[in-house]
Structure formats: C-alpha cells, structure tokens
C-alpha cells in the first residue's frame, strides 16, 4: 500500500495498477461471493437438533469463549443498532450510533432453567475501568483462581490532551486490547491493563499463548482510517497478524504474508496459530516465535470464513457464509430472515500441516449447514462443547443464539 500512497506515482498509474489487481482477483472474488459451484445443504442433512435462545443480552454477539471446566459460556455482545452504526472492521463509522452498553454475557451451559435462558446474565465492569467498551474478538485463560480476559476494544479517537473527539474519518478507531480478571465466584471484571500499540492497527480477533502472557492478534485491514487505500484492500489483500506480550505491553507486526482480511485466530499450541482469511476463503497456519514467523500451511475453502474456535481437544470450529448475497440482505435487516450458515470442523493435525484431509473436495468436515435459514443465526462464531456434543452459534448482527445438539 505504501506504493499507492507515494505522490510521485501519477494517478493514471495508480488506476492502472488497481485495474490489473482487480482483473487478477475478480474471478476469485466472484467465486467467493456467489454460491455458484457450491452445494449448500439443508439442516435436515445433519444429525443435530437445534434451539434458539433469544434475549437482548444475546444479541450482537461477535465472539464467544467456552469454559469447559467451569461449564460457562462467555460472549462479547452489543446491541444490533450499535453494531450497525459503529463497527470499524466492517467500515461502519457512526460514532453517535454507539449504545455504550457492550457487555460480556454469561450462560450456565448445563442448566437451561425453567425459562430456558441458561441463567443468562451480564458481567459487571469494575469502577476502576474508565470509559466504554466497544467489543469485538476475545480470548480467555484460566490462571490460578481466576479467568483472565483479553478483549478487543474499538473506542472512537480523542485528543489525549483535551479529550475532544478527533475526526474518525481521518484517524480511524482507537483500537486497544483490554485485559480484565474475573475471580472465580465473582461477577465483576477487574481491569488489569490496556495494551495500546502501532501494531494493533485494526484488530479483529486474538488468541492467547499457553504461557498466558503472549498473544497473537489479527488486523483485518492494513489501513486504519477509512478511504480509498483501505477500500482497495479487498482486491490487493491486506491486514496482518501481530504478536504482543501482556507483561511488557509490547507488540510487533509478525507477518503480512497470506493476509486477505485476517479474521478469526485460534491457538493450536507450540507457537502455531490458525487464521481465517475472509477475503480469500482460506485458513493459514503460522508458526510465530520471538524472532520470525513462518507460514506453515494453507487450506482452501473457497467460501468467506469468519471466527475460528478451538474446542477442548484442539480441533477448530469455524463459521462460514455460504451465500454472501443473503448475508448482505441479513445485514440490512438483522431482525428479518438470517443468512444461511455453515460450520466446519478442522482437525488440529490438518491445521498443523501434519495430515491431510478430504471431505467432498473440502479440506475439513462440514458439520452443520442451514441452507434455508430455519434454525441457525446469521452465524459469525461457533464454539463446540466436546463433552455434551453441542454447538453454540452466535452472530454479530443476530438477535438470538443457536444451540445445536448432536444426536448421533
Ligand atoms: C448516526 O447515528 C445516529 C444515532 O443513531 C443517527 O441519529 C444518525 O442519523 C446516524 N448518522 C448517519 C449518517 O447515519
Ligand atoms: C487511545 O487509547 C489510549 C489508551 O487508552 C490512549 O492512551 C490514547 O490517548 C488514545 N488515543 C486516541 C487518539 O484516542
């Protein structure tokens, strides 16, 4: 992108370059967006029984984490009205549309209760935390007698000296990672620190290392602020993966290789991270260490992909959008008909590049799909409870979540 921003290149050259890149990728993008050569299956093809759980606290949940030991599900949610106005990752920049009530919702997954709401409630935020949360991706680790949360936060930019708002169209969002602790038995998140860095550009999702200190973050774009260069990233590729340390607060860009709207990220252990690249329909595994980052493996799904969540066994569950046109319609009318959703399971060994896998031409198993939008939300995240063979599905623009039990 630096090439494009240098003024010594005349505009016509920039336009020509753009046209060439466009021509090269248009075929790929058309195939990615249109469900032409894709078989989308009805939900009846899969051995699952699904229920919807609908409540304002379960609307607009972009990401979730399952505490399989503590048997609780934690979801990063916000009002749909807020999300459709202010979502920097999706190029929605209306600062005044934020409802400033983003929250972490909690479900007791083994106890539906008489109301079928699984003890739904939201965590409180300690008074030591100043300001608002504008939530996106999250990850959580159990450390001793507490759960530690890493939350992506997209606040609007302000002048640090005067506190006056800055023009978001010039500078983009002030995105940070917030670390909070939840003591076991407590319902209040206590703020530990804010991580603010040039390498946290346009963060989307993050995954914490086994040591509970390092974490990798996806940036879905290269350009922080809206505009022409950022728009071109759909064709040129863009984004990056950064690596940070929670103790020192230091971050660096680990890689830009293979990044086309880097989106969901899952920790596979031993320094390996799997990243879904939405703009190309691929999942790329990287080995990240202190010095260098190596691209280990690339799996081609040819469908737009979203969040990736490892289950207790390390297998990764991933949400995909088999019909992007229906997705655009669902985004315009979130309370109307949801867009068809697909859930893939990628065995850990396949992501690590140690084993190949073929399932009807796909590098992973399709575990669930809902062609006719009967039960599933417009799904952006899926987590799997291996113990009870259940899937929990939520969506950043969905008013409800789905819970599906495998009957086989
Ligand atoms: C931004 O959001 C506010 C509050 O919801 C709304 O009144 C306003 O019309 C929106 N502005 C634009 C440009 O959509
Ligand atoms: C962004 O957030 C950081 C951390 O809270 C703060 O130090 C900085 O002043 C903010 N910058 C802008 C432009 O809002």
């Amino acid at each position: 992108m630096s090439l494009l921003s240098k003024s010594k290149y005349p505009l016509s050259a920039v336009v020509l370059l753009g046209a060439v890149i466009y021509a090269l990728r248009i075929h790929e993008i058309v195939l990615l967006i249109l469900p032409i050569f894709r078989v989308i299956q009805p939900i009846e093809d899969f051995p699952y029984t699904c229920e919807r759980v609908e409540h304002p606290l379960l609307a607009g949940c972009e990401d979730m984490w399952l505490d399989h030991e503590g048997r609780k599900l934690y979801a990063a949610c916000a009002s749909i009205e807020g999300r459709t106005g202010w979502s920097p990752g999706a190029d929605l920049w209306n600062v005044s549309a934020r409802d400033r009530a983003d929250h972490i919702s909690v479900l007791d997954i083994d106890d539906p209760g008489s109301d079928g709401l699984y003890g739904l409630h939201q965590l409180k935020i300690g008074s030591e935390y100043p300001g608002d949360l504008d939530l996106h991706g999250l990850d959580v680790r159990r450390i001793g007698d507490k759960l530690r949360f890493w939350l992506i936060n997209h606040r609007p930019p302000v002048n640090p000296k005067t506190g006056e708002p800055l023009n978001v169209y010039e500078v983009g969002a002030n995105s940070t990672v917030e670390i909070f602790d939840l003591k076991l038995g407590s319902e209040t998140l206590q703020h530990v620190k804010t991580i603010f860095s040039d390498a946290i550009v346009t963060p989307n999702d993050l995954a914490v290392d086994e040591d509970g200190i390092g974490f990798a973050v996806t940036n879905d774009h290269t350009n922080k602020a809206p505009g022409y260069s950022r728009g071109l990233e759909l064709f040129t590729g863009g984004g990056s993966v950064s690596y940070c340390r929670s103790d020192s607060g230091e971050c660096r860009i680990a890689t830009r290789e293979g990044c086309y709207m880097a989106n969901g990220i899952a920790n596979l252990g031993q320094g390996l991270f799997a990243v879904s690249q939405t703009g190309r329909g691929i999942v790329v595994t990287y080995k990240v260490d202190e010095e260098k980052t190596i691209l280990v493996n690339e799996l081609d799904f040819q469908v737009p992909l979203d969040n990736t969540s490892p289950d207790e066994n390390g297998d990764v569950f991933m949400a995909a959008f088999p019909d992007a046109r229906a997705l655009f319609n669902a985004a315009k009318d979130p309370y109307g008909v949801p867009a068809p959703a697909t859930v893939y399971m990628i065995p850990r060994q396949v992501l690590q590049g140690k084993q190949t896998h073929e399932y009807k031409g796909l590098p992973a198993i399709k575990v669930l799909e809902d062609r006719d939008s009967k039960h599933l939300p417009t799904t952006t995240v899926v987590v799997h409870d291996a113990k009870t063979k259940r899937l929990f599905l939520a969506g950043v623009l969905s008013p409800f979540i789905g819970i599906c039990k495998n009957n086989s």
Side-chain angles (χ1 to χ4, degrees):
M1 298 315 291
S2 58
L3 182 72
L4 293 173
S5 56
K6 279 184 192 148
S7 57
K8 66 178 175 174
Y9 292 94
L11 185 65
S12 58
V14 174
V15 171
L16 184 67
L17 177 68
V20 171
I21 296 164
Y22 184 80
L24 288 176
R25 287 218 61 225
I26 190 82
H27 166 78
E28 192 181 299
I29 290 170
V30 165
L31 282 185
L32 200 62
I33 291 177
L34 298 181
I36 318 177
F37 299 112
R38 195 173 293 144
V39 179
I40 309 180
Q41 293 171 261
I43 199 159
E44 291 78 16
D45 282 5
F46 302 88
Y48 282 88
T49 314
C50 299
E51 60 169 319
R52 286 182 177 184
V53 184
E54 187 152 359
H55 189 277
L57 284 181
L58 292 175
C61 302
E62 156 68 21
D63 200 5
M64 301 192 289
W65 181 79
L66 178 68
D67 180 9
H68 56 80
E69 274 176 65
R71 311 301 296 153
K72 284 185 164 62
L73 183 69
Y74 296 90
C77 312
S79 76
I80 289 175
E81 291 67 27
R83 295 272 195 210
T84 51
W86 174 251
S87 281
D91 273 308
L92 299 167
W93 304 99
N94 186 352
V95 169
S96 43
R98 299 159 66 233
D99 81 340
R100 310 174 77 167
D102 292 18
H103 54 272
I104 302 290
S105 294
V106 191
L107 294 176
D108 287 316
I109 59 167
D110 292 335
D111 186 7
S114 52
D115 57 3
L117 287 173
Y118 293 85
L120 173 64
H121 61 283
Q122 77 178 76
L123 295 178
K124 297 187 204 62
I125 304 291
S127 55
E128 72 289 345
Y129 176 73
D132 299 320
L133 288 169
D134 291 272
L135 297 177
H136 199 161
L138 91 168
D139 199 11
V140 186
R141 280 285 168 281
R142 186 178 281 269
I143 301 175
D145 67 344
K146 65 188 182 222
L147 294 178
R148 176 159 283 188
F149 286 67
W150 284 257
L151 306 176
I152 286 174
N153 190 16
H154 296 295
R155 276 173 303 176
V158 293
N159 181 320
K161 292 204 185 77
T162 63
E164 293 287 307
L166 295 174
N167 184 350
V168 73
Y169 291 96
E170 278 165 21
V171 295
N174 187 16
S175 301
T176 54
V177 172
E178 308 293 340
I179 304 181
F180 283 92
D181 280 345
L182 182 68
K183 286 217 180 78
L184 289 186
S186 165
E187 293 295 341
T188 303
L189 286 166
Q190 255 146 2
H191 193 235
V192 177
K193 69 178 354 174
T194 298
I195 300 192
F196 170 63
S197 163
D198 286 345
I200 300 178
V201 189
T202 55
N204 188 304
D205 192 17
L206 48 77
V208 178
D209 256 338
E210 285 108 317
D211 67 3
I213 298 171
F215 62 92
V217 191
T218 53
N219 290 305
D220 48 34
H221 288 82
T222 302
N223 290 279
K224 204 172 172 65
Y228 173 69
S229 303
R230 186 168 153 123
L232 261 188
E233 289 183 33
L234 177 61
F235 305 107
T236 58
S240 55
V241 179
S242 291
Y243 186 77
C244 302
R245 301 294 294 173
S246 302
D247 46 5
S248 65
E250 276 173 24
C251 301
R252 63 184 169 81
I253 304 264
T255 189
R256 296 186 190 283
E257 195 185 357
C259 287
Y260 286 81
M261 284 191 77
N263 192 326
I265 184 163
N267 179 4
L268 308 173
Q270 297 152 6
L272 291 167
F273 293 92
V275 177
S276 59
Q277 306 286 356
T278 305
R280 262 193 73 202
I282 59 175
V283 176
V284 179
T285 301
Y286 302 95
K287 184 154 179 73
V288 183
D289 70 23
E290 290 299 325
E291 271 99 54
K292 59 182 185 308
T293 302
I294 305 164
L295 195 157
V296 176
N297 187 30
E298 192 178 296
L299 303 173
D300 192 1
F301 288 79
Q302 297 181 357
V303 61
L305 306 168
D306 205 334
N307 277 307
T308 51
S309 308
D311 73 359
E312 198 179 342
N313 306 321
D315 298 325
V316 170
F317 286 73
M318 181 171 67
F321 311 117
D323 186 347
R325 292 171 308 179
L327 180 67
F328 295 135
N329 292 335
K332 269 186 266 159
D333 178 18
Y335 294 98
V337 180
T342 308
V343 178
Y344 292 107
M345 189 280 278
I346 323 175
R348 177 193 189 124
Q349 303 274 42
V350 172
L351 284 167
Q352 292 171 335
K354 292 180 183 157
Q355 176 187 308
T356 53
H357 186 91
E358 274 285 317
Y359 173 81
K360 298 184 181 169
L362 292 166
I365 296 163
K366 191 198 274 181
V367 292
L368 188 57
E369 194 160 56
D370 189 4
R371 182 188 66 196
D372 308 314
S373 309
K374 283 191 180 163
H375 299 299
L376 306 187
T378 300
T379 304
T380 57
V381 60
V382 184
V383 300
H384 179 233
D385 179 35
K387 281 197 187 75
T388 59
K389 297 211 271 181
R390 278 180 301 170
L391 296 169
F392 297 85
L393 308 99
V396 67
L397 289 179
S398 175
F400 61 90
I401 68 162
I403 303 179
C404 297
K405 173 139 182 58
N406 186 325
N407 309 312
S408 63

